[in-house]
Amino acid sequence: DIGAFTKGVQEPEDNSIFTVAEEDIDRLIFYQRKVQVDVARNTETNVWGIISPPGMAVDVADIQFTVRTLSNIQSDGKAGRISNRRTGLNRARMVFEVQRKDGSNEALFVGKHFKSKEGDIYFYVKSQNSNDVHVLSEKTLTRLRRGFGQN
């Protein structure tokens, strides 16, 4: 009986929210209230940068982090199926959209924040294509926002 050998062994939890191959990404868009920031790859230099609004200066390393993270967004855990009202996902506070070259898209909706028992701040998040609610650390969210020139 193999059960005796596998008791207590757990598969690592899959906290992937969505995956889009980086070469398939056309642009990334950040929305918050009246703010919209678009990031795309410069066709001549092949470097990612902010294309709208014009004149925004952002560190290329921050943009690279954002591109890499949003191409395979991993949460810090699953919150299960909690009502949108409780998580704030009925009216997302911010949205990170990944547009593919074929015109399709993925979006990460960000809802309310909460404190863990340890005092760390997390946000409720979910994909536009799923009802599963995940949590994302304030640290990760802050770095994602930085790639769009948001502090």
Side-chain angles (χ1 to χ4, degrees):
D1 180 17
I2 193 152
F5 298 106
T6 58
K7 272 197 175 67
V9 175
Q10 286 187 326
E11 287 294 308
E13 196 173 338
D14 177 23
N15 289 332
S16 177
I17 300 175
F18 60 75
T19 306
V20 179
E22 196 175 318
E23 59 271 12
D24 294 339
I25 298 174
D26 181 50
R27 71 177 48 202
L28 303 173
I29 305 171
F30 170 79
Y31 303 96
Q32 185 173 19
R33 292 189 195 93
K34 292 183 168 86
V35 173
Q36 177 179 336
V37 181
D38 294 38
V39 168
R41 194 186 296 263
N42 181 315
T43 49
E44 291 161 23
T45 63
N46 217 23
V47 175
W48 290 93
I50 291 179
I51 56 168
S52 173
M56 269 183 95
V58 176
D59 189 318
V60 175
D62 290 332
I63 294 175
Q64 273 307 122
F65 172 84
T66 298
V67 172
R68 269 195 320 276
T69 302
L70 287 176
S71 70
N72 182 20
I73 184 81
Q74 301 281 324
S75 72
D76 292 297
K78 292 182 179 164
R81 292 179 182 245
I82 306 172
S83 79
N84 282 341
R85 185 174 291 143
R86 204 171 119 209
T87 61
L89 290 165
N90 54 331
R91 292 179 39 210
R93 294 182 172 195
M94 58 190 97
V95 178
F96 295 92
E97 185 178 333
V98 179
Q99 288 189 348
R100 292 185 185 91
K101 291 175 181 169
D102 68 7
S104 65
N105 71 328
E106 296 283 348
L108 179 72
F109 296 119
V110 180
K112 292 178 180 173
H113 69 281
F114 65 94
K115 266 190 183 168
S116 69
K117 289 182 210 116
E118 295 79 26
D120 298 316
I121 296 175
Y122 291 90
F123 285 80
Y124 290 111
V125 297
K126 75 175 186 177
S127 162
Q128 71 179 3
N129 297 319
S130 171
N131 288 321
D132 292 335
V133 176
H134 291 253
V135 295
L136 196 63
S137 72
E138 178 186 43
K139 191 172 130 196
T140 301
L141 195 62
T142 298
R143 285 215 54 205
L144 281 175
R145 288 170 43 84
R146 211 175 291 146
F148 290 96
Q150 307 299 303
N151 294 325

